[in-house]
Amino acid sequence: MAAWAKRLAGVRGVLLDISGVLYDSGEGGGTPIDGSVEAVARLKRSQLKVRFCTNESQKSRGELVRLLRRLGFDISEDEVTAPAPAACQILKERGLRPHLLIHDGVRPEFDQIDTSNPNCVVMADAGDDFSYRNMNQAFQLLMELERPVLISLGKGRYYKETSGLMLDVGAYMKALEYACGIEAEVVGKPSPEFFRSALQAMGLEAHQAVMIGDDIVGDVGGAQQCGMRALQVRTGKFRPSDEHHPEVQADGYVDNLAEAVDLLLQHAHE
Amino acid sequence: MAAWAKRLAGVRGVLLDISGVLYDSGEGGGTPIDGSVEAVARLKRSQLKVRFCTNESQKSRGELVRLLRRLGFDISEDEVTAPAPAACQILKERGLRPHLLIHDGVRPEFDQIDTSNPNCVVMADAGDDFSYRNMNQAFQLLMELERPVLISLGKGRYYKETSGLMLDVGAYMKALEYACGIEAEVVGKPSPEFFRSALQAMGLEAHQAVMIGDDIVGDVGGAQQCGMRALQVRTGKFRPSDEHHPEVQADGYVDNLAEAVDLLLQHAHE
């Protein structure tokens, strides 16, 4: 047994990243990661609270949940904390009308948002829609605004598809930040507000929860800065160098979600 | 007369940026900036040495010179310092075989370069070829290299076309730097080596030359850091806020190249 597993004592709830932990996206929707379907089922049968905390911004929650259920996962829409609904709330609160640099898959989340005469840009993982033309359109709009506001759904560097590593929204966010000389507001992990809204939905304090993710900075570092414990799985975008990251050290490293759940079920109630 | 024009005393040579100073690119090739054709002709009839120093990386020097001659400019290929030939020299010296993330227009400059089994990425202003697919291909290659080398032809934030501001290579360079966790090597302005090679081609010392450009950081700041004087024109990508830039102050600001040449011909020989 890993010595660090003692650190799991007292955990009452688990926040699960989705992409790279539950499944790898790719052709035909994607592939579940070995053991993850059963691991989620075991967690749900346990006394631990479970919530899914994702930066997925190519799909609406509805589409994501349908895909995951098709892959065998026990998950429903109201168990998912995702950046698009959080962004919509911010837009409404601040009277912002976005130009949307997003994938068509996530567009339904913005159905109730006024996008006429835009006074900000909201960007998400647009995938192939990150064309030069679309990037330039967002850039020109920001340069015309007296107070340019750029909201980015996450700032991931890359994610893993079954076919290989893929550039994530963070790379394109950096491009617009540099071109416009501005700093984006990030909605999603690793923003503390985002983790706190997930904790609130579970009715837990940070010290009672553990985050499980494949992103050493966005998942592990972000959760730890909120006072949570955090494990990194060696699946998804994990790379061996993550275990020697210059700034972030996970509370533990596990081969996959199945191993994390084994250890949690053994040690959480100690 | 502007008081600062006295600072032009002793100038023996002029380095001219091309895009935004001579012409604005755009539909049908582009449009000369008012007075610039005559201004270049007057400079060439004077005793001042003239060289063109551009970060243009969408076109080969041959294509660029043909376009400018068609617009009426007196310019030949051997008067142009451009980043692609400088990059080719670096590739040869270091035995690098590039994957090319570039526009087809500049491809002829790389005709003599071995691009098999690439061990680095060279990026330039690829325009519409900055597709997600092409960016991702360069990203994946860099992530596979043990020592990833990214060479960028310039690092401009944007440039001006007749239709409006356009994202330049620097924005996409920042995207790849962030995604891969690396720093690019910049060939072109504001790299000191690049300015020095232009000065060497003119046979002048830095203190004898003045740079005229529309980019407060890349042209003006870069030239000043090499010991040259530098003027910013209020054409091309110039924005009023440039005159209050937090880090760079030009030796003088002029409405256009024609005004710069008026002042130079009056004051250079004082």
Side-chain angles (χ1 to χ4, degrees):
Chain A
M1 184 207 93
W4 58 260
K6 287 181 285 190
R7 297 194 202 169
L8 297 173
V11 162
R12 294 188 47 208
V14 185
L15 276 181
L16 294 179
D17 180 27
I18 293 180
S19 174
V21 176
L22 269 52
Y23 85 122
D24 286 322
S25 58
E27 283 215 9
T31 316
I33 290 166
D34 273 354
S36 287
V37 169
E38 299 74 19
V40 170
R42 288 170 67 206
L43 268 184
K44 288 202 154 186
R45 285 195 304 268
S46 78
Q47 292 181 301
L48 295 169
K49 294 186 179 186
V50 180
R51 191 163 182 87
F52 302 91
C53 185
T54 179
N55 270 6
E56 170 65 54
S57 67
Q58 244 195 39
K59 303 177 184 74
S60 66
R61 276 167 309 168
E63 195 187 336
L64 177 64
V65 163
R66 278 190 295 279
L67 166 66
L68 290 169
R69 293 179 70 89
R70 185 156 57 76
L71 296 179
F73 289 97
D74 175 5
I75 182 172
S76 64
E77 217 172 308
D78 59 5
E79 294 172 312
V80 178
T81 295
C88 287
Q89 198 176 331
I90 289 170
L91 294 169
K92 284 178 192 161
E93 283 167 10
R94 289 164 52 184
L96 291 169
R97 300 178 306 275
H99 169 83
L100 297 170
L101 177 55
I102 62 175
H103 193 277
D104 277 343
V106 79
R107 216 165 280 274
E109 297 275 16
F110 295 90
D111 270 353
Q112 304 303 315
I113 297 293
D114 178 8
T115 56
S116 64
N117 188 21
N119 57 7
C120 75
V121 168
V122 168
M123 67 190 304
D125 172 20
D128 285 330
D129 289 331
F130 277 133
S131 63
Y132 182 70
R133 186 191 170 91
N134 288 347
M135 281 289 285
N136 214 49
Q137 201 179 358
F139 160 69
Q140 289 178 344
L141 192 138
L142 287 167
M143 292 296 275
E144 279 161 18
L145 295 175
E146 201 179 333
R147 293 183 189 174
V149 172
L150 173 62
I151 293 175
S152 182
L153 304 197
K155 60 171 187 177
R157 292 162 58 197
Y158 54 84
Y159 55 91
K160 170 117 180 279
E161 289 216 336
T162 47
S163 59
L165 299 182
M166 306 293 282
L167 283 170
D168 199 358
V169 61
Y172 286 90
M173 178 194 85
K174 289 289 174 187
L176 288 181
E177 284 187 337
Y178 176 72
C180 301
I182 60 175
E183 200 169 326
E185 302 175 29
V186 177
V187 177
K189 298 175 285 184
S191 143
E193 291 82 0
F194 192 71
F195 282 114
R196 279 197 284 268
S197 75
L199 288 167
Q200 199 173 18
M202 284 200 290
L204 291 181
E205 304 284 326
H207 70 92
Q208 299 172 308
V210 64
M211 172 81 210
I212 301 175
D214 66 334
D215 187 323
I216 185 70
V217 173
D219 294 323
V220 174
Q224 287 177 334
Q225 285 197 342
C226 281
M228 298 167 64
R229 285 163 274 187
L231 307 183
Q232 188 180 18
V233 288
R234 297 191 186 95
T235 54
K237 78 177 85 171
F238 168 84
R239 290 163 70 91
S241 59
D242 291 348
E243 297 195 36
H244 315 281
H245 193 277
E247 283 147 37
V248 182
Q249 175 75 28
D251 291 281
Y253 299 86
V254 287
D255 284 344
N256 48 39
L257 180 61
E259 188 188 353
V261 171
D262 280 345
L263 293 170
L264 269 166
L265 296 183
Q266 281 174 53
H267 298 281
H269 297 291
E270 280 176 1
Chain B
M1 184 207 94
W4 58 260
K6 287 180 286 192
R7 297 196 202 166
L8 298 174
V11 163
R12 292 186 48 207
V14 185
L15 276 181
L16 296 179
D17 180 27
I18 293 180
S19 174
V21 176
L22 269 52
Y23 85 123
D24 286 322
S25 58
E27 282 215 8
T31 315
I33 290 167
D34 273 353
S36 286
V37 169
E38 299 74 19
V40 170
R42 289 170 68 204
L43 268 183
K44 288 202 154 184
R45 285 196 304 268
S46 78
Q47 291 180 304
L48 295 169
K49 294 187 178 185
V50 180
R51 191 163 181 88
F52 302 92
C53 184
T54 179
N55 270 7
E56 170 65 54
S57 67
Q58 241 194 43
K59 304 177 184 74
S60 66
R61 275 169 309 170
E63 196 188 336
L64 178 63
V65 162
R66 277 190 296 280
L67 165 66
L68 290 168
R69 293 179 70 90
R70 186 157 55 77
L71 296 178
F73 289 98
D74 175 4
I75 183 172
S76 64
E77 219 172 308
D78 59 6
E79 294 172 312
V80 178
T81 296
C88 288
Q89 198 177 330
I90 290 169
L91 294 168
K92 285 178 192 160
E93 282 167 11
R94 288 164 53 184
L96 291 169
R97 300 178 305 277
H99 169 83
L100 297 170
L101 178 55
I102 62 175
H103 193 277
D104 277 343
V106 78
R107 217 165 279 275
E109 298 275 16
F110 294 90
D111 271 353
Q112 304 303 315
I113 298 293
D114 178 7
T115 56
S116 64
N117 188 22
N119 58 7
C120 75
V121 168
V122 168
M123 69 190 302
D125 172 19
D128 285 331
D129 289 332
F130 277 133
S131 63
Y132 183 72
R133 186 192 169 92
N134 288 346
M135 281 289 286
N136 214 49
Q137 201 179 359
F139 160 69
Q140 288 178 345
L141 191 138
L142 287 167
M143 291 296 276
E144 280 163 16
L145 295 175
E146 200 178 336
R147 294 182 189 179
V149 172
L150 173 61
I151 293 175
S152 181
L153 305 197
K155 61 171 187 178
R157 294 162 56 199
Y158 54 83
Y159 55 91
K160 170 115 181 280
E161 289 215 335
T162 47
S163 59
L165 299 182
M166 306 293 283
L167 283 170
D168 198 359
V169 61
Y172 286 89
M173 178 193 88
K174 289 289 172 185
L176 289 180
E177 284 187 338
Y178 176 72
C180 302
I182 61 174
E183 200 168 327
E185 302 175 29
V186 177
V187 177
K189 300 175 284 184
S191 143
E193 291 82 0
F194 192 70
F195 282 114
R196 279 198 285 269
S197 76
L199 287 168
Q200 199 172 18
M202 284 200 289
L204 292 182
E205 303 284 328
H207 69 91
Q208 300 172 307
V210 63
M211 172 80 209
I212 301 175
D214 67 333
D215 187 322
I216 186 70
V217 172
D219 294 323
V220 174
Q224 288 176 333
Q225 284 197 344
C226 281
M228 297 166 65
R229 285 162 275 187
L231 307 183
Q232 189 181 17
V233 288
R234 297 192 186 95
T235 55
K237 78 176 85 170
F238 168 83
R239 290 163 71 91
S241 59
D242 291 347
E243 297 194 35
H244 316 281
H245 192 278
E247 283 149 35
V248 183
Q249 175 75 28
D251 291 281
Y253 299 87
V254 287
D255 284 343
N256 48 40
L257 180 60
E259 187 188 353
V261 171
D262 280 345
L263 293 170
L264 269 166
L265 296 184
Q266 280 174 53
H267 297 283
H269 298 292
E270 281 176 0

